[in-house]
Amino acid sequence: MEGVGDDNRSSIEELVDYLSQHFYEAELSLALFTAAVTSYRCDSLLKPFPPMYIVDGEPDISALAADVKSIPCLKQLAAGKLSISSQLADLLLWVVKYRKTKLKHLPTSSFDELTKQTGKYLPMGNPQHLYELQFNEQSEAAFTNLAADRKVFCAFHGSRLENFFSILHHGLCGHMNKTSLFGEGTYLSTEPSVAANFSPWGHTGRSATQSVFGHSMSVLALCEVIDDPSVKHSFDSEKVDRKAPNSMGGDVPDKYVVVTNNDMLRVKYLLVYSEARKSHDSSGAESTPTPSLVTRLLRKHGYWLSLFFYVFVLLLIGLFNSKSFWRQVRRLYENTFDSLGWSGSDSSW
């Protein structure tokens, strides 16, 4: 297996140097990668696939999964407290460094400015981490030219955690999505709470002591969208065509956006919600408290639990307003008293 280093240094030295300068960027890249590797859909999610694990033209998923399990804590690795093989260093360099789109970890103070820019406040609270995607000159120039003299607005996109590895490399591609009710394309929303329903909490594939994000996390993408005829939405009264191709539900509903041309949008920021909260054990080392089972269930299945509760409440209301239901209750009540030899009208029992 050949190294991927870009100079005469060993891949291990290059990795340690990169981690010391871009630790949080490396943490997110690795978390998204391991989430994809540990998913049951890893064969379709790993696009691109690490080239050093392609043997005779076929991806060696089992070898990759075994090496991923042995990846240590990046913080300890950056501090020189651990040693790894050059093979593992090559993999980590490929994951965290060699990508056209770069990540930049922003201070939390940047989020307040971003909130003012979008005009949207998150009902789920501010994320624990905020990342900006930085594009190469060619990609930046292409998007800028397309956006010339046209309106650019912000919209949110939610997806499962394991999908973001591919999104980070390829962007949002409408042709990779399943056809939905309102037609073909990439679905976004101008409301973060709507998009957040499609970003459930997912496992990072890392333990709480290995990752700054802990066991699980959720990612929400904030995108820049060029208002083109291929972009379907209903919040502009001047837009005549509001129906995406092959739509079965008619016009795109309020607060939703369907982008049918991949060139008209790009992911600009990643909002990361993680379970990790810094604390310290008796030795002074940083550790991450494990949330309760109820908390983890609410984070991962909150949308479906709230939907189930809503349907349950509607069912109760329907039963309490049903005359036949109360007739059955009264009949059961009378039969029970009769079987016990009591009179339903006898109050002395």
Side-chain angles (χ1 to χ4, degrees):
M1 187 180 302
E2 297 180 359
V4 294
D6 58 1
D7 51 33
N8 294 326
R9 295 177 297 168
S10 72
S11 55
I12 298 176
E13 291 175 329
E14 184 182 350
L15 175 62
V16 171
D17 181 59
Y18 182 83
L19 292 178
S20 64
Q21 300 180 54
H22 307 283
F23 173 72
Y24 281 100
E25 290 83 354
E27 278 281 357
L28 181 62
S29 297
L30 181 59
L32 299 183
F33 175 70
T34 54
V37 172
T38 55
S39 170
Y40 71 95
R41 298 187 294 122
C42 64
D43 54 339
S44 61
L45 294 172
L46 289 175
K47 298 178 180 179
F49 194 88
M52 62 284 293
Y53 287 86
I54 297 179
V55 181
D56 297 328
E58 295 294 329
D60 192 345
I61 296 179
S62 59
L64 174 61
D67 281 353
V68 165
K69 288 182 180 180
S70 66
I71 295 176
C73 173
L74 293 188
K75 181 171 288 187
Q76 293 182 340
L77 190 60
K81 297 179 180 180
L82 298 173
S83 61
I84 59 173
S85 66
S86 59
Q87 174 174 308
L88 200 55
D90 285 343
L91 172 62
L92 285 171
L93 275 174
W94 182 84
V95 170
V96 305
K97 184 176 181 180
Y98 293 101
R99 185 177 55 247
K100 291 182 179 179
T101 304
K102 304 298 182 183
L103 287 171
K104 181 181 181 182
H105 186 255
L106 301 178
T108 53
S109 57
S110 302
F111 186 76
D112 294 331
E113 184 177 341
L114 188 63
T115 302
K116 294 178 181 178
Q117 178 183 336
T118 60
K120 301 294 181 181
Y121 291 87
L122 302 179
M124 54 281 202
N126 290 357
Q128 282 72 53
H129 299 275
L130 176 64
Y131 291 84
E132 179 184 6
L133 274 66
Q134 299 181 326
F135 304 90
N136 58 33
E137 292 183 7
Q138 182 179 0
S139 299
E140 187 68 37
F143 190 83
T144 301
N145 290 336
L146 285 173
D149 301 324
R150 287 193 281 189
K151 178 184 176 182
V152 177
F153 63 91
C154 294
F156 296 86
H157 176 78
S159 187
R160 300 184 67 87
L161 180 64
E162 58 266 28
N163 294 333
F164 273 95
F165 172 74
S166 178
I167 292 173
L168 194 58
H169 281 268
H170 302 294
L172 292 170
C173 302
H175 63 276
M176 297 178 66
N177 299 330
K178 297 179 180 179
T179 302
S180 297
L181 178 61
F182 297 101
E184 300 173 352
T186 300
Y187 281 63
L188 303 97
S189 177
T190 53
E191 291 296 328
S193 58
V194 175
N197 289 327
F198 299 92
S199 284
W201 286 72
H203 294 292
T204 61
R206 308 272 288 161
S207 70
T209 58
Q210 289 178 321
S211 172
V212 296
F213 304 120
H215 290 290
S216 59
M217 58 189 285
S218 173
V219 178
L220 191 64
L222 177 56
C223 307
E224 293 179 328
V225 185
I226 301 172
D227 201 356
D228 178 78
S230 62
V231 177
K232 312 299 181 181
H233 58 76
S234 300
F235 55 81
D236 187 350
S237 59
E238 296 182 0
K239 185 174 281 288
V240 178
D241 185 8
R242 303 177 181 180
K243 183 184 294 186
N246 299 321
S247 172
M248 296 180 292
D251 291 349
V252 174
D254 188 33
K255 299 180 181 180
Y256 280 84
V257 179
V258 179
V259 181
T260 62
N261 184 346
N262 297 335
D263 295 331
M264 294 299 120
L265 84 159
R266 67 177 182 180
V267 177
K268 186 58 179 174
Y269 297 96
L270 293 178
L271 286 61
V272 178
Y273 294 85
S274 69
E275 69 175 14
R277 295 292 187 276
K278 287 187 178 180
S279 63
H280 294 82
D281 56 25
S282 57
S283 64
E286 288 186 356
S287 61
T288 304
T290 302
S292 65
L293 177 61
V294 174
T295 301
R296 293 199 300 271
L297 285 174
L298 287 175
R299 285 175 173 176
K300 188 172 183 179
H301 306 291
Y303 172 72
W304 296 109
L305 288 173
S306 60
L307 184 62
F308 172 79
F309 181 74
Y310 175 72
V311 173
F312 180 71
V313 171
L314 289 180
L315 181 61
L316 285 180
I317 293 175
L319 287 175
F320 277 98
N321 290 330
S322 171
K323 293 182 179 179
S324 60
F325 170 74
W326 287 111
R327 282 198 298 269
Q328 292 295 330
V329 171
R330 181 176 179 82
R331 184 178 302 171
L332 178 63
Y333 172 82
E334 292 174 347
N335 290 341
T336 301
F337 275 78
D338 289 343
S339 64
L340 294 174
W342 296 339
S343 171
S345 60
D346 187 359
S347 60
S348 63
W349 56 273

